[in-house]
Short mmCIF file of all heavy atoms in Angstrom, two decimals:
data_model
loop_
_atom_site.label_atom_id
_atom_site.label_comp_id
_atom_site.label_asym_id
_atom_site.label_seq_id
_atom_site.Cartn_x
_atom_site.Cartn_y
_atom_site.Cartn_z
N SER A 305 124.48 -198.93 -119.29
CA SER A 305 124.54 -198.03 -120.45
C SER A 305 123.59 -196.86 -120.25
O SER A 305 122.59 -196.96 -119.52
CB SER A 305 124.17 -198.78 -121.73
OG SER A 305 122.80 -199.13 -121.73
N LEU A 328 94.27 -186.12 -116.19
CA LEU A 328 93.83 -185.07 -115.26
C LEU A 328 92.51 -184.40 -115.62
O LEU A 328 91.67 -184.19 -114.73
CB LEU A 328 94.93 -184.02 -115.11
CG LEU A 328 95.95 -184.30 -114.01
CD1 LEU A 328 97.11 -183.32 -114.10
CD2 LEU A 328 95.28 -184.22 -112.64
N PHE A 375 97.14 -180.40 -106.55
CA PHE A 375 95.75 -180.67 -106.93
C PHE A 375 94.83 -180.92 -105.75
O PHE A 375 93.69 -181.38 -105.93
CB PHE A 375 95.71 -181.83 -107.92
CG PHE A 375 96.35 -181.50 -109.23
CD1 PHE A 375 97.66 -181.90 -109.49
CD2 PHE A 375 95.68 -180.75 -110.19
CE1 PHE A 375 98.27 -181.58 -110.69
CE2 PHE A 375 96.29 -180.42 -111.39
CZ PHE A 375 97.59 -180.83 -111.64
N ARG A 381 93.14 -186.85 -104.93
CA ARG A 381 94.12 -187.43 -104.00
C ARG A 381 95.20 -188.18 -104.77
O ARG A 381 94.91 -188.89 -105.73
CB ARG A 381 93.42 -188.39 -103.03
CG ARG A 381 92.44 -187.71 -102.09
CD ARG A 381 91.80 -188.69 -101.12
NE ARG A 381 90.99 -189.70 -101.81
CZ ARG A 381 91.36 -190.95 -102.04
NH1 ARG A 381 92.55 -191.38 -101.66
NH2 ARG A 381 90.56 -191.78 -102.67
#
Side-chain angles (χ1 to χ4, degrees):
S305 69
L328 271 171
F375 293 98
R381 295 182 296 102

